[in-house]
Amino acid sequence: MSRIEQALQKAKKSRISGAEQKADINNIEQESATSIDLNIYSAETNNSSDQLLEVEPITVNNRMLITALDERTNAVEEYNKLRSTVISLTRGEAFLNSLIITSCAPSEGKSITALNLAISLAKEQDHTVLLVDADLRRPSLHRYLGISPEYGLAHCLRDGLPIEKALVKTGLGKLVLLPAGDIIKDPLDMLSSKRMEDIVLELKQRYPERYVLIDTPPAVPFADASVLSKMVDSTLFVVREGVATKSVITKTLEDFRRKGILGVVYNDSKAASKKHGYYYYY
């Protein structure tokens, strides 16, 4: 008979005290690898949205993170419009709360868009936001925020580190960051693993009102975004004017369409820049 079965029988027959039950459960979790997967997010269970708001905010010095600077500009308003659009498209009979944010090519602004959207959503009263840096090839979210986290997603996937050990409460509204951690030269096996599937499922289901945004590598040179798109509800594409060709964009969107595309963010539009004096246009 397994140790788990013995513990369950002991609890049923003896109706042991709460303290004894807790001791047995702790022993079981130490010996059961399954318990790690089932409880990867347990440390946040007792953390309310109010507690998230009590965290001292990260000091943001990067001017690209305009939604964190509490300034009323046209660019901030555009991100707020994007936030409203995302909420509108994801709230229906089912809450489509998980999405990846990617682009066709490098240097299209996907990570900056992911951060500004996440901050805008996190400052909105009804939602907490978990932003995941799944660009293990070239992680950047922590650098934009000006932090140096010790652990991240790579440690959770490679070393079995519990997710709660890698989370960073930013204090920017109700935003929590799961940084990438170590740079991985070829992370595709990690990102397509059962462990990653379990993590994404847990993050999606743990809090019914939480958005889970996942920043990924560009979709054309790497398969990471395609793999992760199968684990989430939809994909948000960032297209920067003058970077990817129309044929590449069309083909990439067609490839992702059957997996669910939420929409396309048209970034760095020169026409919008000349008219309004800012670079973000949706």
Side-chain angles (χ1 to χ4, degrees), residues 1-16:
M1 181 181 296
S2 71
R3 183 172 180 79
I4 295 176
E5 292 172 329
Q6 291 174 357
L8 291 174
Q9 286 197 5
K10 182 179 178 181
K12 181 177 180 180
K13 291 179 180 180
S14 305
R15 297 179 181 273
I16 56 179

PDB file of all heavy atoms in Angstrom, residues 1-16:
ATOM      1  N   MET A   1       0.847  -1.198   0.000  1.00  0.00           N
ATOM      2  CA  MET A   1       0.000   0.000   0.000  1.00  0.00           C
ATOM      3  C   MET A   1       0.882   1.247   0.000  1.00  0.00           C
ATOM      4  O   MET A   1       1.842   1.322   0.749  1.00  0.00           O
ATOM      5  CB  MET A   1      -0.905   0.001   1.240  1.00  0.00           C
ATOM      6  CG  MET A   1      -1.855   1.215   1.331  1.00  0.00           C
ATOM      7  SD  MET A   1      -2.874   1.183   2.811  1.00  0.00           S
ATOM      8  CE  MET A   1      -3.833  -0.298   2.521  1.00  0.00           C
ATOM      9  N   SER A   2       0.546   2.231  -0.824  1.00  0.00           N
ATOM     10  CA  SER A   2       1.374   3.433  -0.931  1.00  0.00           C
ATOM     11  C   SER A   2       1.232   4.284   0.317  1.00  0.00           C
ATOM     12  O   SER A   2       0.282   4.155   1.094  1.00  0.00           O
ATOM     13  CB  SER A   2       0.959   4.257  -2.147  1.00  0.00           C
ATOM     14  OG  SER A   2      -0.296   4.851  -1.916  1.00  0.00           O
ATOM     15  N   ARG A   3       2.187   5.182   0.501  1.00  0.00           N
ATOM     16  CA  ARG A   3       2.155   6.072   1.661  1.00  0.00           C
ATOM     17  C   ARG A   3       0.941   6.993   1.618  1.00  0.00           C
ATOM     18  O   ARG A   3       0.365   7.334   2.661  1.00  0.00           O
ATOM     19  CB  ARG A   3       3.442   6.905   1.691  1.00  0.00           C
ATOM     20  CG  ARG A   3       3.534   7.807   2.918  1.00  0.00           C
ATOM     21  CD  ARG A   3       4.900   8.464   3.013  1.00  0.00           C
ATOM     22  NE  ARG A   3       4.982   9.329   4.178  1.00  0.00           N
ATOM     23  CZ  ARG A   3       5.185   8.890   5.418  1.00  0.00           C
ATOM     24  NH1 ARG A   3       5.337   7.593   5.636  1.00  0.00           N
ATOM     25  NH2 ARG A   3       5.253   9.740   6.432  1.00  0.00           N
ATOM     26  N   ILE A   4       0.555   7.391   0.397  1.00  0.00           N
ATOM     27  CA  ILE A   4      -0.638   8.243   0.284  1.00  0.00           C
ATOM     28  C   ILE A   4      -1.875   7.511   0.760  1.00  0.00           C
ATOM     29  O   ILE A   4      -2.699   8.044   1.513  1.00  0.00           O
ATOM     30  CB  ILE A   4      -0.814   8.712  -1.182  1.00  0.00           C
ATOM     31  CG1 ILE A   4       0.345   9.614  -1.583  1.00  0.00           C
ATOM     32  CG2 ILE A   4      -2.132   9.451  -1.370  1.00  0.00           C
ATOM     33  CD1 ILE A   4       0.324  10.054  -3.017  1.00  0.00           C
ATOM     34  N   GLU A   5      -2.045   6.242   0.322  1.00  0.00           N
ATOM     35  CA  GLU A   5      -3.205   5.457   0.749  1.00  0.00           C
ATOM     36  C   GLU A   5      -3.201   5.237   2.253  1.00  0.00           C
ATOM     37  O   GLU A   5      -4.243   5.288   2.914  1.00  0.00           O
ATOM     38  CB  GLU A   5      -3.211   4.120   0.002  1.00  0.00           C
ATOM     39  CG  GLU A   5      -3.481   4.261  -1.492  1.00  0.00           C
ATOM     40  CD  GLU A   5      -3.298   2.945  -2.228  1.00  0.00           C
ATOM     41  OE1 GLU A   5      -2.459   2.136  -1.785  1.00  0.00           O
ATOM     42  OE2 GLU A   5      -3.984   2.752  -3.242  1.00  0.00           O
ATOM     43  N   GLN A   6      -2.021   4.977   2.827  1.00  0.00           N
ATOM     44  CA  GLN A   6      -1.936   4.783   4.266  1.00  0.00           C
ATOM     45  C   GLN A   6      -2.367   6.039   5.020  1.00  0.00           C
ATOM     46  O   GLN A   6      -3.085   5.977   6.018  1.00  0.00           O
ATOM     47  CB  GLN A   6      -0.494   4.419   4.638  1.00  0.00           C
ATOM     48  CG  GLN A   6      -0.060   3.037   4.154  1.00  0.00           C
ATOM     49  CD  GLN A   6       1.415   2.789   4.413  1.00  0.00           C
ATOM     50  OE1 GLN A   6       2.111   3.664   4.904  1.00  0.00           O
ATOM     51  NE2 GLN A   6       1.872   1.592   4.076  1.00  0.00           N
ATOM     52  N   ALA A   7      -1.927   7.186   4.533  1.00  0.00           N
ATOM     53  CA  ALA A   7      -2.276   8.441   5.196  1.00  0.00           C
ATOM     54  C   ALA A   7      -3.768   8.709   5.131  1.00  0.00           C
ATOM     55  O   ALA A   7      -4.378   9.172   6.099  1.00  0.00           O
ATOM     56  CB  ALA A   7      -1.498   9.594   4.560  1.00  0.00           C
ATOM     57  N   LEU A   8      -4.380   8.420   3.966  1.00  0.00           N
ATOM     58  CA  LEU A   8      -5.818   8.631   3.816  1.00  0.00           C
ATOM     59  C   LEU A   8      -6.616   7.720   4.738  1.00  0.00           C
ATOM     60  O   LEU A   8      -7.606   8.125   5.348  1.00  0.00           O
ATOM     61  CB  LEU A   8      -6.229   8.398   2.355  1.00  0.00           C
ATOM     62  CG  LEU A   8      -5.724   9.433   1.349  1.00  0.00           C
ATOM     63  CD1 LEU A   8      -6.075   9.018  -0.072  1.00  0.00           C
ATOM     64  CD2 LEU A   8      -6.313  10.793   1.659  1.00  0.00           C
ATOM     65  N   GLN A   9      -6.209   6.451   4.848  1.00  0.00           N
ATOM     66  CA  GLN A   9      -6.893   5.521   5.740  1.00  0.00           C
ATOM     67  C   GLN A   9      -6.748   5.951   7.191  1.00  0.00           C
ATOM     68  O   GLN A   9      -7.688   5.868   7.980  1.00  0.00           O
ATOM     69  CB  GLN A   9      -6.343   4.108   5.553  1.00  0.00           C
ATOM     70  CG  GLN A   9      -6.818   3.445   4.257  1.00  0.00           C
ATOM     71  CD  GLN A   9      -6.607   1.943   4.279  1.00  0.00           C
ATOM     72  OE1 GLN A   9      -6.188   1.386   5.291  1.00  0.00           O
ATOM     73  NE2 GLN A   9      -6.889   1.311   3.174  1.00  0.00           N
ATOM     74  N   LYS A  10      -5.553   6.416   7.549  1.00  0.00           N
ATOM     75  CA  LYS A  10      -5.323   6.858   8.911  1.00  0.00           C
ATOM     76  C   LYS A  10      -6.231   8.028   9.266  1.00  0.00           C
ATOM     77  O   LYS A  10      -6.810   8.094  10.351  1.00  0.00           O
ATOM     78  CB  LYS A  10      -3.864   7.264   9.084  1.00  0.00           C
ATOM     79  CG  LYS A  10      -3.499   7.702  10.501  1.00  0.00           C
ATOM     80  CD  LYS A  10      -2.027   8.058  10.579  1.00  0.00           C
ATOM     81  CE  LYS A  10      -1.664   8.530  11.977  1.00  0.00           C
ATOM     82  NZ  LYS A  10      -0.247   8.913  12.066  1.00  0.00           N
ATOM     83  N   ALA A  11      -6.377   8.975   8.311  1.00  0.00           N
ATOM     84  CA  ALA A  11      -7.230  10.141   8.548  1.00  0.00           C
ATOM     85  C   ALA A  11      -8.687   9.738   8.696  1.00  0.00           C
ATOM     86  O   ALA A  11      -9.416  10.267   9.525  1.00  0.00           O
ATOM     87  CB  ALA A  11      -7.071  11.143   7.412  1.00  0.00           C
ATOM     88  N   LYS A  12      -9.119   8.760   7.882  1.00  0.00           N
ATOM     89  CA  LYS A  12     -10.522   8.348   7.906  1.00  0.00           C
ATOM     90  C   LYS A  12     -10.868   7.596   9.179  1.00  0.00           C
ATOM     91  O   LYS A  12     -11.906   7.810   9.792  1.00  0.00           O
ATOM     92  CB  LYS A  12     -10.803   7.479   6.681  1.00  0.00           C
ATOM     93  CG  LYS A  12     -12.245   7.006   6.575  1.00  0.00           C
ATOM     94  CD  LYS A  12     -12.434   6.209   5.296  1.00  0.00           C
ATOM     95  CE  LYS A  12     -13.889   5.734   5.181  1.00  0.00           C
ATOM     96  NZ  LYS A  12     -14.093   4.950   3.949  1.00  0.00           N
ATOM     97  N   LYS A  13      -9.997   6.675   9.617  1.00  0.00           N
ATOM     98  CA  LYS A  13     -10.302   5.818  10.763  1.00  0.00           C
ATOM     99  C   LYS A  13     -10.145   6.554  12.085  1.00  0.00           C
ATOM    100  O   LYS A  13     -10.949   6.392  12.992  1.00  0.00           O
ATOM    101  CB  LYS A  13      -9.395   4.590  10.745  1.00  0.00           C
ATOM    102  CG  LYS A  13      -9.696   3.631   9.597  1.00  0.00           C
ATOM    103  CD  LYS A  13      -8.742   2.450   9.625  1.00  0.00           C
ATOM    104  CE  LYS A  13      -9.030   1.477   8.488  1.00  0.00           C
ATOM    105  NZ  LYS A  13      -8.106   0.322   8.499  1.00  0.00           N
ATOM    106  N   SER A  14      -9.096   7.360  12.183  1.00  0.00           N
ATOM    107  CA  SER A  14      -8.755   7.934  13.480  1.00  0.00           C
ATOM    108  C   SER A  14      -9.298   9.338  13.686  1.00  0.00           C
ATOM    109  O   SER A  14      -9.300   9.837  14.807  1.00  0.00           O
ATOM    110  CB  SER A  14      -7.231   7.979  13.641  1.00  0.00           C
ATOM    111  OG  SER A  14      -6.688   6.703  13.455  1.00  0.00           O
ATOM    112  N   ARG A  15      -9.742   9.986  12.566  1.00  0.00           N
ATOM    113  CA  ARG A  15     -10.176  11.384  12.641  1.00  0.00           C
ATOM    114  C   ARG A  15      -9.139  12.203  13.410  1.00  0.00           C
ATOM    115  O   ARG A  15      -9.437  12.878  14.388  1.00  0.00           O
ATOM    116  CB  ARG A  15     -11.548  11.511  13.320  1.00  0.00           C
ATOM    117  CG  ARG A  15     -12.661  10.834  12.571  1.00  0.00           C
ATOM    118  CD  ARG A  15     -13.981  10.977  13.303  1.00  0.00           C
ATOM    119  NE  ARG A  15     -15.031  10.311  12.600  1.00  0.00           N
ATOM    120  CZ  ARG A  15     -15.755  10.861  11.640  1.00  0.00           C
ATOM    121  NH1 ARG A  15     -15.516  12.100  11.284  1.00  0.00           N
ATOM    122  NH2 ARG A  15     -16.711  10.189  11.035  1.00  0.00           N
ATOM    123  N   ILE A  16      -7.914  12.099  12.946  1.00  0.00           N
ATOM    124  CA  ILE A  16      -6.814  12.724  13.650  1.00  0.00           C
ATOM    125  C   ILE A  16      -6.958  14.230  13.644  1.00  0.00           C
ATOM    126  O   ILE A  16      -7.707  14.789  12.845  1.00  0.00           O
ATOM    127  CB  ILE A  16      -5.463  12.330  13.016  1.00  0.00           C
ATOM    128  CG1 ILE A  16      -5.458  12.696  11.529  1.00  0.00           C
ATOM    129  CG2 ILE A  16      -5.169  10.865  13.217  1.00  0.00           C
ATOM    130  CD1 ILE A  16      -4.147  12.357  10.850  1.00  0.00           C
TER     131      ILE A  16
END
